Amino acid sequence: MHFLSDELEDYIEQHSENEPILLAQLNKETFQKVLLPRMLSGHFQGRVLSMLSKLIRPLNILEIGTYTGYSALCLCEGMQDGGTLHTIDIKEELVDFQRKYFDRSPWGTQIVQHLGEAMDIIPNIDMKFDLVFIDADKENYINYYEIIVPKMNKGGIILSDNVLWSGKILEEVHPNDVSTKVLLEYNLLLKNDPRVETVLLPIRDGLTVSRVL
């Protein structure tokens, strides 16, 4: 996942906004107690998500893939007063972990947790979104995207994480590597879909910003 040297990544973090104290605590506890802690957005990408949200000023946010809640809290930093963030995950064992940090934040009552399959849950959320963050199972990225686009407000932003997939998108794809196959197709879809305009940013493991036209 690291396309830059550790030294350069450290420099970038040191010259970006500081990681908020609550998120630093969440980061630390995730690494202490949860499997696959590298799935956490982390300091730099978290500040990118925060900055984008502050620029967008969304009223309603959807996140597909909560993990321990780090990225959700970053996205909330730009949310309008009275706004809502809906976040979806399939891991029941993380619900209480997420809620502990959500309730310690200023947005606890504005964050709605959904447990289950996103493809089943999203059609039942009766609202339009200004900002969506896709960061779940890669095999369903195209399915998530297609179900989300009709629920976006014009000018809304769809963020897609891990689109460089540790550089696998440049390598020969193994026949049983479904995730890489889907991501290659997904990246082409975002590039060519007339419903959006897209830029792929080489941030961490790749972050695509797609604006709905």
Side-chain angles (χ1 to χ4, degrees):
M1 291 179 66
H2 296 282
F3 301 108
L4 302 175
S5 67
D6 291 341
E7 292 80 7
L8 194 52
E9 288 190 350
D10 288 343
Y11 183 89
I12 290 168
E13 286 192 4
Q14 291 166 11
H15 291 80
S16 298
E17 284 295 309
N18 293 333
E19 184 179 38
I21 293 173
L22 179 64
L23 290 180
Q25 293 169 346
L26 193 164
N27 193 334
K28 181 178 180 180
E29 188 171 358
T30 297
F31 273 80
Q32 289 174 335
K33 298 180 179 179
V34 183
L35 292 174
L36 301 175
R38 75 171 194 164
M39 290 172 59
L40 193 86
S41 288
H43 177 186
F44 174 59
Q45 184 172 350
R47 291 306 86 205
V48 172
L49 295 177
S50 169
M51 181 67 76
L52 289 172
S53 185
K54 289 171 182 175
L55 291 170
I56 297 162
R57 295 292 295 151
L59 179 62
N60 295 315
I61 305 171
L62 173 66
E63 178 184 58
I64 305 174
T66 314
Y67 192 47
T68 55
Y70 191 102
S71 54
L73 291 173
C74 294
L75 295 169
C76 282
E77 292 181 32
M79 185 168 60
Q80 294 182 36
D81 293 340
T84 303
L85 182 144
H86 289 264
T87 186
I88 305 170
D89 206 288
I90 60 172
K91 294 183 176 64
E92 184 176 2
E93 67 272 18
L94 292 179
V95 171
D96 291 340
F97 187 108
Q98 300 158 7
R99 178 48 60 183
K100 177 176 70 172
Y101 281 94
F102 291 163
D103 286 345
R104 289 174 60 189
S105 79
W107 309 283
T109 60
Q110 296 167 265
I111 300 174
V112 180
Q113 293 165 284
H114 298 271
L115 180 65
E117 297 290 342
M119 292 299 294
D120 298 328
I121 292 168
I122 294 170
N124 296 313
I125 302 176
D126 186 21
M127 64 174 52
K128 292 263 191 171
F129 296 103
D130 307 297
L131 177 60
V132 173
F133 184 41
I134 305 174
D135 187 18
D137 55 311
K138 312 313 164 192
E139 294 89 344
N140 271 310
Y141 263 37
I142 294 172
N143 295 328
Y144 295 147
Y145 176 77
E146 293 293 356
I147 203 172
I148 284 167
V149 170
K151 295 177 72 70
M152 296 295 297
N153 285 317
K154 184 177 181 180
I157 299 295
I158 300 172
L159 303 174
S160 307
D161 200 17
N162 304 116
V163 291
L164 295 180
W165 206 224
S166 299
K168 291 181 183 178
I169 43 83
L170 295 179
E171 299 171 358
E172 183 178 352
V173 181
H174 295 288
N176 61 347
D177 187 353
V178 178
S179 294
T180 302
K181 290 178 182 178
V182 172
L183 282 173
L184 286 168
E185 186 178 347
Y186 182 71
N187 290 341
L188 282 175
L189 172 61
L190 295 187
K191 165 65 177 174
N192 297 317
D193 190 343
R195 297 173 294 178
V196 297
E197 56 182 355
T198 290
V199 60
L200 197 165
L201 304 176
I203 292 171
R204 200 161 177 257
D205 195 30
L207 180 69
T208 296
V209 182
S210 302
R211 177 176 175 269
V212 178
L213 302 176

